[in-house]
Amino acid sequence: MKRTAFFISDGTGITAEALGNSLLAQFGSIQFNKVTLPYIDSIDKAAVAVETIDQAGLDDGYRPLVFDTVVDEAIRKVISTSSAYKIDVFSSFLKPLELELGSHSSYSVGKSHSINEVNTYMDRIESVNFAMENDDGGRTQHYDKADIILTGVSRCGKTPSCLYMALQFGIRAANYPLTDDDLNCPTLPEVLQPFQDKLFGLTIDPFQLAAIRHERRANSRYASLDQCEEEVRSVERMFRQQQIPFINTTHFSIEEIATRIIAQKGLQRRIK
């Protein structure tokens, strides 16, 4: 079965996507064609969206699904004329919240993703800049300003994890790649020793590591399974000897890796 799912918003569509994807992930046996329609902020745009939705239903032979975070009631009414099964996030959740809180919603477009709190926005930007400047051991002299320093072998997920923590939570994350020389040494690299309490290790299945490296440098020693197995054994031994907490990233998404790191290290989020 193939179903088309639409994420419709008068803003970016990020909230509709987040909710919709979380719900659809529970139905692994169904193939979903996901379509985001952002900035549906007029009656005319809503009418065009309805035509697109109805055509998808005809093509699929099943009515589409619509996850809608449109604020304007008139636009929502137009969208509701489609043939889709519609989940209206605001009418489903805001009305009960208004009753519970005894207060009316502002019904503002893009409220959760707008730049309303300058300090929060600046924390996000500064954290992303920090992650980029301190990627791959780039500026070790700034490690005293890091909230956390990820370490591990090359291509185990350090960089995307740092960037995700910076963008989503405002965490200042650096990362340091462990080379052959580092792994053959009985102690931590000298530059990391003063910051052992900030270290968190990432490891990975050697077969997956070899496949990832092969995409970058095919048929090289760097990508060989023997090299990957040796590096993973050595890095895990180092983590245990130095009592550095670590996780295996093989079966986790970047979101899961970041969340587990934050939970295990008790990091304080600057963005909530």
Side-chain angles (χ1 to χ4, degrees):
M1 182 188 298
K2 177 186 135 184
R3 301 287 290 267
T4 300
F6 288 90
F7 308 123
I8 300 180
S9 175
D10 40 15
T12 63
I14 293 172
T15 301
E17 288 178 345
L19 176 65
N21 282 320
S22 294
L23 295 173
L24 296 180
Q26 305 303 315
F27 301 91
S29 61
I30 301 175
Q31 177 186 356
F32 294 104
N33 176 35
K34 300 175 183 178
V35 180
T36 301
L37 301 178
Y39 301 110
I40 305 300
D41 52 8
S42 70
I43 298 296
D44 289 343
K45 289 181 181 179
V48 173
V50 168
E51 292 178 6
T52 302
I53 293 165
D54 289 344
Q55 186 59 54
L58 292 174
D59 293 342
D60 294 346
Y62 297 97
R63 65 174 174 167
L65 308 174
V66 166
F67 297 89
D68 158 25
T69 57
V70 172
V71 172
D72 187 280
E73 188 173 352
I75 295 174
R76 292 208 310 272
K77 284 182 179 178
V78 173
I79 295 171
S80 68
T81 64
S82 75
S83 60
Y85 177 77
K86 186 167 173 287
I87 298 175
D88 186 332
V89 176
F90 283 146
S91 65
S92 298
F93 298 111
L94 278 185
K95 290 296 183 184
L97 269 176
E98 286 179 335
L99 292 174
E100 174 63 26
L101 297 174
S103 177
H104 289 292
S105 162
S106 65
Y107 289 90
S108 299
V109 176
K111 193 79 171 177
S112 63
H113 301 289
S114 60
I115 309 176
N116 288 318
E117 296 184 27
V118 174
N119 290 339
T120 297
Y121 181 75
M122 292 308 298
D123 276 335
R124 188 192 303 273
I125 297 302
E126 288 175 9
S127 297
V128 170
N129 286 338
F130 184 90
M132 294 174 67
E133 290 172 359
N134 292 275
D135 184 43
D136 254 3
R139 291 193 179 183
T140 57
Q141 69 270 27
H142 293 160
Y143 280 1
D144 60 321
K145 297 181 177 65
D147 297 316
I148 191 164
I149 303 167
L150 300 188
T151 189
V153 299
S154 171
R155 313 304 287 181
C156 66
K158 299 184 299 301
T159 296
S161 298
C162 285
L163 287 172
Y164 184 85
M165 286 191 287
L167 185 62
Q168 295 296 322
F169 307 119
I171 289 172
R172 288 170 192 162
N175 77 78
Y176 184 92
L178 294 168
T179 64
D180 282 345
D181 289 341
D182 296 323
L183 296 174
N184 290 327
C185 183
T187 62
L188 282 173
E190 186 175 349
V191 70
L192 297 181
Q193 290 177 17
F195 308 105
Q196 185 159 352
D197 61 326
K198 296 184 177 185
L199 297 181
F200 196 97
L202 300 185
T203 185
I204 188 172
D205 178 81
F207 287 93
Q208 182 163 326
L209 181 61
I212 293 170
R213 288 182 173 184
H214 185 77
E215 293 295 319
R216 189 176 186 186
R217 291 187 210 162
N219 304 315
S220 64
R221 177 176 173 271
Y222 169 77
S224 72
L225 182 57
D226 286 345
Q227 177 67 17
C228 292
E229 287 179 331
E230 176 58 30
E231 288 186 31
V232 170
R233 274 196 305 269
S234 298
V235 79
E236 291 183 359
R237 183 169 59 247
M238 172 186 283
F239 291 155
R240 293 188 182 98
Q241 289 174 345
Q242 301 296 328
Q243 298 183 320
I244 297 170
F246 69 95
I247 58 173
N248 189 310
T249 65
T250 305
H251 301 296
F252 294 139
S253 66
I254 294 301
E255 295 87 345
E256 289 173 305
I257 294 167
T259 303
R260 286 171 182 271
I261 292 169
I262 291 168
Q264 287 192 40
K265 292 292 285 185
L267 298 177
Q268 295 298 311
R269 306 178 182 187
R270 291 186 179 85
I271 301 171
K272 299 180 181 181

